[in-house]
Amino acid sequence: MKEDEVHSLILDRTDEIEDDDLRSFINEVLTHERSRLDEHRPEYKEKYKTLADDYSNNTSLDDYEDE
Amino acid sequence: MNDIQIIEVTVEDYRSYEGKETFPLEVDEDENINIIQGQNGVGKSNFLNAITLCFYDKETHLDESEEQGLDTDPFVNLTRLKDLDVGESATGSIEVKLGRDEPKYIFERSFTTAKVGEDEYESETGELQLHQRFGDEWKPVDQPNTRLSEILPTRVHEYFFFDGEKLNGFFSEGYTERIQDAILDVSHIQLLNNAIGHLQNVQSDFEKKSSEFKGETEKKEQAYRDAKATLEDLQDEMEQIEGDIEDAEGEKDRIDEQLADSRDKEVRSKQSQRQVLNDRIENLEDDIVEDRMEAGEALTQAGIVVYNEDALQFAKQEFESAESEGELPPKIQPKFINELLERGECICGENLDESPKKREKLEGLRKDVPEIPGGTIEGKYEIPNVLQTAEDRVENLLEKKRDVEDTRDEIRDAKEELQEISAFLESKEIPDDVDVGKLESQRQDLESRINEMQEQKGQLRSRIQSQEELKEERREEWENEMDKEEKRKTLLRKIEFVRQAKERLRDIKGEILDQVREQTEEYIDEYFNTLHWKDEHFTVELTDEYQINVSSPSGDKGLGSLSAGEQQILALSFMASMSQISGFSAPVVIDTPLGRISSDPKHRIARNIPEYLTGKQVTFLMTDEEYTQEVSAFLGDSVANEYKLDYASEKTEVAGL
């Protein structure tokens, strides 16, 4: 494992997520958390909101409602 | 090496180390072990503390006796401090070079000890510094703690840098919690917990925002539809009434044609007159519309002056009063006065040299004129003009109103004439002709109905206009709600997306905990059997409740029945499993690894140590009792660097072996 990588224990499982957007979103969140693991109050909100904007665009609400 | 290793540690004036001491520690795959040998108290633990102080600003491996004296025990070497006067201070530093096959990171932390009294010192540490190599260049890194956390986070470092002797109590009461905590530490559950918690916060923010957009789209849409339906009803009604009017007009025209075709000359004449009168009334009604418009314009023009007439009259009187009191000069240009004075002749033709009074008057005027604001003089002349304009405009307005009245009178006269014609025709009875009276009576009814319907049409037009405005208002309200609803839908989509991500991470967390527990069990089993001196195979079990059971073909061995040596290697096995599972490719430094193990098992353990943590740099800090000749012989082929520490004259001396 390289210094800034998320543990393969986690990545092995996120790789199994079929939805590309959900998988990419989760991986970006984990990479961000990994880089700030030792910070007491890391910044994350704006970044995650922007990521959610980007990745949730391809998913319509009906997709969820159908589930 | 695949893993990161400590290439070199340099301590300068740190505790028992006086001056600068450098420990090159680079290893390779075959020779992966470093030995730093020394009796208790010569500075072995200080070496381990130097690493944790440099990285984490913390000395985590103090003896109890040292911990008690921590506040007074200075960081800087005592020999250095002896030369200081009270109020003076000295500085030392620790530098750790890390890398795989060559140095990549240099972490450094300085510390200062100040002498605050006789044998009284206060120490403090500086910020962590980091230089990282990029190609051939070393560059400072802005956030060294972030990079360190990537290599080995604070919570995990104790599974890499630890004191073997302190593992004695590892399996005492409450050890299952320690094992659980350790597993949480190394399995990146903290990372998942952080991610889950932060996603929850983001989800809550979206939910809060979403409630702001909760609209009443359906309600507003219904209101819009109702307004539209009402408008359509009114328009239908209008269409109906216009049709009725048209029918009635048609009926009236038919009657007019019959009357116009009467055999009676007088009837035809009256009917013809009626036609002329109707045409005239129509023209007059057009005129009256035009006259009203003109009267309206005249009122607009006259109004502003009329409204201000009192003020203007007052201003005019004030000007007149001022002028009569000599406060306002006539409107004379200063240039003209100058010309008169230069020419020496008054405007009346009199020589000014012969009439000093007139010269004096002119000079007075020349002096006064520039002091009076231009607007004042202008106002004096303009106000009467404005008042005159007002009079003209009012007169114009009155004239237009008279025109309107005259036209009305004409229409009234024409209508009276029509009534007379109608009355005449209604009473007319002509044998062998159309029934003029009856037709006229029908015509009157029709006209009356048409008038009523025209009145209804006017009211209806007004209602339609209001309803159109209402419909537009309702449409805008509905569109606003639609807009809000669209935003809300977008937010709901994001909320659901973030919730799914969060739930997936929760699932992953549960799966990982189960997997890590199983892996921990496998690693402990492997290392315990590797390090154990007996040939029989032990089975190590880690239960769901994080209890450890050890069994062998000769029977179960509860933790309590394990010898001190067995407990020590079980603890070493557990620590090694934690460092492996953590996934961090960091080096391992163990102080006094075999401290509690008697000589015979110790030698056997030493024989197995090269198989323990293969491929990872392992540095052992060993006492002379641990690093015996036999142990040295067993480890020989795997040892890359050996150092011997001695303590003399209050300082640690380092020698390579």
Side-chain angles (χ1 to χ4, degrees):
Chain A
M1 186 173 88
K2 287 185 181 170
E3 291 91 294
D4 56 353
E5 276 180 0
V6 175
H7 200 299
S8 58
L9 278 171
I10 299 170
L11 289 183
D12 287 349
R13 285 168 173 79
T14 57
D15 285 349
E16 288 170 7
I17 298 171
E18 286 179 6
D19 182 326
D20 291 344
D21 289 320
L22 191 63
R23 184 178 62 251
S24 303
F25 174 72
I26 287 178
N27 282 338
E28 290 215 36
V29 165
L30 291 171
T31 304
H32 183 77
E33 294 293 343
R34 173 71 186 88
S35 66
R36 284 156 176 78
L37 198 56
D38 266 1
E39 285 182 28
H40 184 53
R41 296 174 72 85
E43 291 287 327
Y44 62 92
K45 274 194 179 175
E46 289 313 309
K47 184 179 176 71
Y48 290 0
K49 285 176 184 174
T50 307
L51 287 174
D53 281 346
D54 293 345
Y55 286 113
S56 67
N57 274 344
N58 297 328
T59 319
S60 93
L61 193 61
D62 296 338
D63 291 345
Y64 299 119
E65 285 167 353
D66 290 344
E67 285 177 3
Chain B
M1 293 287 285
N2 288 329
D3 282 6
I4 284 191
Q5 60 170 316
I6 299 173
I7 305 284
E8 197 172 272
V9 176
T10 300
V11 290
E12 183 173 8
D13 290 328
Y14 172 63
R15 292 202 182 268
S16 58
Y17 296 91
E18 185 189 349
K20 195 181 266 191
E21 290 287 358
T22 298
F23 293 82
L25 296 172
E26 190 174 353
V27 300
D28 58 32
E29 295 289 340
D30 298 325
E31 295 178 340
N32 67 316
I33 294 174
N34 292 309
I35 302 290
I36 298 175
Q37 181 195 351
Q39 288 293 9
N40 282 333
V42 300
K44 288 198 312 304
S45 295
N46 283 344
F47 178 84
L48 189 52
N49 282 332
I51 295 172
T52 57
L53 184 69
C54 175
F55 284 160
Y56 306 108
D57 199 15
K58 203 170 174 186
E59 292 178 306
T60 50
H61 307 282
L62 296 172
D63 290 340
E64 280 181 15
S65 57
E66 285 174 325
E67 279 183 52
Q68 285 165 4
L70 185 60
D71 291 342
T72 53
D73 205 7
F75 285 155
V76 174
N77 179 264
L78 281 171
T79 310
R80 279 282 317 273
L81 298 174
K82 272 181 186 166
D83 299 333
L84 298 183
D85 292 327
V86 173
E88 289 183 327
S89 63
T91 301
S93 67
I94 303 160
E95 183 185 283
V96 182
K97 283 185 189 168
L98 296 178
R100 286 185 167 81
D101 295 321
E102 53 189 9
K104 185 175 179 187
Y105 307 104
I106 301 177
F107 288 93
E108 185 181 4
R109 193 186 296 275
S110 63
F111 49 84
T112 303
T113 297
K115 189 168 185 176
V116 294
E118 279 310 315
D119 295 327
E120 281 184 54
Y121 302 98
E122 280 180 5
S123 297
E124 62 179 21
T125 52
E127 292 294 319
L128 179 65
Q129 307 292 325
L130 169 63
H131 281 76
Q132 185 173 342
R133 198 168 69 180
F134 298 92
D136 293 331
E137 268 190 88
W138 286 93
K139 291 182 181 170
V141 174
D142 284 343
Q143 293 179 313
N145 285 306
T146 302
R147 187 51 49 88
L148 176 65
S149 153
E150 290 171 357
I151 297 168
L152 194 59
T154 311
R155 283 174 69 87
V156 184
H157 85 264
E158 59 190 68
Y159 307 106
F160 289 80
F161 308 135
F162 59 90
D163 186 342
E165 269 190 332
K166 287 202 170 176
L167 294 178
N168 292 341
F170 192 84
F171 292 109
S172 59
E173 193 179 346
Y175 81 91
T176 53
E177 274 182 31
R178 282 194 285 279
I179 288 179
Q180 189 177 5
D181 288 347
I183 286 176
L184 289 178
D185 284 345
V186 300
S187 54
H188 295 233
I189 295 299
Q190 182 62 36
L191 187 149
L192 290 171
N193 282 342
N194 289 352
I196 292 165
H198 292 159
L199 287 177
Q200 176 60 57
N201 291 343
V202 170
Q203 183 184 331
S204 300
D205 279 5
F206 281 149
E207 282 168 350
K208 196 173 160 194
K209 188 90 183 157
S210 157
S211 64
E212 290 172 17
F213 287 116
K214 194 171 181 183
E216 297 177 306
T217 311
E218 280 182 25
K219 203 171 154 188
K220 297 290 181 188
E221 185 186 5
Q222 193 54 51
Y224 167 61
R225 285 183 192 284
D226 291 348
K228 211 161 86 167
T230 306
L231 177 64
E232 282 167 3
D233 289 347
L234 289 172
Q235 284 168 337
D236 287 347
E237 208 175 319
M238 177 65 111
E239 205 174 315
Q240 179 66 40
I241 212 162
E242 280 175 343
D244 291 349
I245 290 171
E246 202 175 322
D247 290 347
E249 291 283 4
E251 186 67 16
K252 200 175 82 175
D253 288 347
R254 192 183 58 75
I255 291 171
D256 281 342
E257 278 169 20
Q258 282 183 298
L259 291 173
D261 287 342
S262 169
R263 287 182 193 169
D264 187 279
K265 191 179 172 187
E266 202 174 9
V267 170
R268 290 201 304 275
S269 169
K270 290 289 180 189
Q271 182 61 21
S272 176
Q273 277 179 35
R274 179 150 67 186
Q275 190 58 45
V276 170
L277 283 169
N278 276 332
D279 291 345
R280 195 171 157 216
I281 288 171
E282 200 173 322
N283 289 335
L284 286 170
E285 279 174 346
D286 288 345
D287 288 349
I288 211 166
V289 170
E290 201 171 318
D291 289 346
R292 275 179 182 153
M293 280 174 65
E294 285 176 6
E297 280 173 25
L299 177 63
T300 308
Q301 287 181 343
I304 192 161
V305 195
V306 172
Y307 292 140
N308 291 298
E309 192 191 358
D310 286 351
L312 289 164
Q313 289 292 5
F314 176 75
K316 187 182 168 198
Q317 283 168 12
E318 287 296 303
F319 280 129
E320 285 168 357
S321 166
E323 190 174 23
S324 68
E325 288 171 17
E327 291 171 9
L328 271 181
K331 189 182 180 185
I332 300 170
Q333 294 290 338
K335 184 182 166 193
F336 181 60
I337 300 170
N338 283 337
E339 279 176 4
L340 292 177
L341 285 166
E342 279 169 20
R343 205 163 56 209
E345 188 180 298
C346 180
I347 197 165
C348 60
E350 200 167 338
N351 191 324
L352 293 176
D353 292 337
E354 293 169 3
S355 180
K357 276 190 178 176
K358 291 200 170 174
R359 174 176 287 280
E360 194 180 334
K361 174 106 177 164
L362 277 173
E363 282 174 345
L365 260 179
R366 182 168 67 176
K367 190 182 163 206
D368 292 342
V369 166
E371 288 175 3
I372 298 165
T376 310
I377 297 174
E378 292 296 327
K380 177 196 158 196
Y381 289 96
E382 287 304 319
I383 285 174
N385 289 338
V386 172
L387 285 168
Q388 182 57 50
T389 304
E391 279 176 31
D392 294 346
R393 287 180 180 176
V394 168
E395 183 52 40
N396 184 41
L397 171 64
L398 293 173
E399 194 179 323
K400 295 293 174 194
K401 285 179 82 72
R402 277 195 296 274
D403 287 347
V404 172
E405 289 304 317
D406 291 348
T407 310
R408 274 189 187 143
D409 288 346
E410 281 186 62
I411 291 171
R412 193 169 51 245
D413 293 347
K415 283 185 174 173
E416 278 173 10
E417 278 187 59
L418 281 174
Q419 280 173 353
E420 284 168 12
I421 289 170
S422 185
F424 171 78
L425 290 174
E426 196 178 12
S427 61
K428 194 81 178 171
E429 283 184 21
I430 306 166
D432 301 329
D433 198 359
V434 291
D435 192 344
V436 175
K438 190 180 171 190
L439 284 174
E440 186 57 30
S441 177
Q442 285 174 355
R443 193 181 183 283
Q444 281 179 12
D445 289 345
L446 281 169
E447 272 207 325
S448 171
R449 220 177 110 213
I450 288 169
N451 285 339
E452 273 176 29
M453 287 193 292
Q454 289 288 14
E455 200 174 322
Q456 285 174 10
K457 188 180 164 186
Q459 289 170 355
L460 204 51
R461 188 181 290 123
S462 169
R463 284 176 65 195
I464 286 174
Q465 195 178 345
S466 302
Q467 191 62 27
E468 275 173 344
E469 287 168 9
L470 184 70
K471 186 202 81 173
E472 276 307 298
E473 205 176 300
R474 296 281 183 265
R475 188 182 59 77
E476 279 176 23
E477 287 173 359
W478 177 48
E479 282 179 355
N480 285 340
E481 290 304 315
M482 292 259 284
D483 188 38
K484 281 163 78 176
E485 189 63 28
E486 195 55 40
K487 285 178 180 166
R488 188 161 178 262
K489 274 188 179 173
T490 305
L491 276 165
L492 288 176
R493 190 171 61 228
K494 285 193 270 190
I495 289 167
E496 187 53 34
F497 185 77
V498 171
R499 189 194 67 77
Q500 283 210 350
K502 188 187 69 184
E503 290 307 318
R504 193 72 194 92
L505 288 174
R506 278 211 175 109
D507 293 343
I508 289 174
K509 177 181 161 185
E511 291 168 18
I512 286 177
L513 276 175
D514 287 344
Q515 188 191 337
V516 168
R517 194 187 51 71
E518 286 171 18
Q519 279 188 349
T520 305
E521 183 181 78
E522 286 170 19
Y523 275 121
I524 297 175
D525 187 285
E526 179 189 333
Y527 290 129
F528 187 77
N529 281 294
T530 299
L531 291 174
H532 205 286
W533 50 92
K534 288 184 181 169
D535 289 335
E536 64 181 325
H537 185 82
F538 294 87
T539 301
V540 180
E541 184 196 9
L542 181 62
T543 69
D544 290 347
E545 289 76 37
Y546 299 98
Q547 281 182 328
I548 291 181
N549 298 319
V550 182
S551 61
S552 72
S554 55
D556 286 346
K557 297 187 74 153
L559 281 187
S561 66
L562 290 176
S563 69
E566 284 175 323
Q567 288 207 8
Q568 179 81 358
I569 62 169
L570 188 62
L572 285 173
S573 302
F574 177 73
M575 298 302 272
S577 73
M578 291 296 94
S579 66
Q580 288 289 55
I581 289 168
S582 75
F584 293 105
S585 62
V588 173
V589 181
I590 310 175
D591 191 8
T592 332
L594 308 173
R596 296 185 39 98
I597 301 172
S598 55
S599 60
D600 192 36
K602 191 186 304 173
H603 298 154
R604 295 187 186 195
I605 292 170
R607 189 166 47 196
N608 297 332
I609 273 182
E611 301 302 317
Y612 171 74
L613 292 171
T614 50
K616 201 177 261 296
Q617 183 196 46
V618 185
T619 300
F620 290 118
L621 304 168
M622 287 178 154
T623 61
D624 294 347
E625 289 75 31
E626 287 178 291
Y627 197 53
T628 61
Q629 281 188 340
E630 289 85 347
V631 170
S632 171
F634 285 130
L635 296 180
D637 290 343
S638 301
V639 173
N641 303 287
E642 285 181 271
Y643 299 98
K644 169 87 172 164
L645 305 183
D646 277 316
Y647 190 71
S649 308
E650 295 187 337
K651 69 172 189 175
T652 298
E653 290 178 346
V654 183
L657 288 175

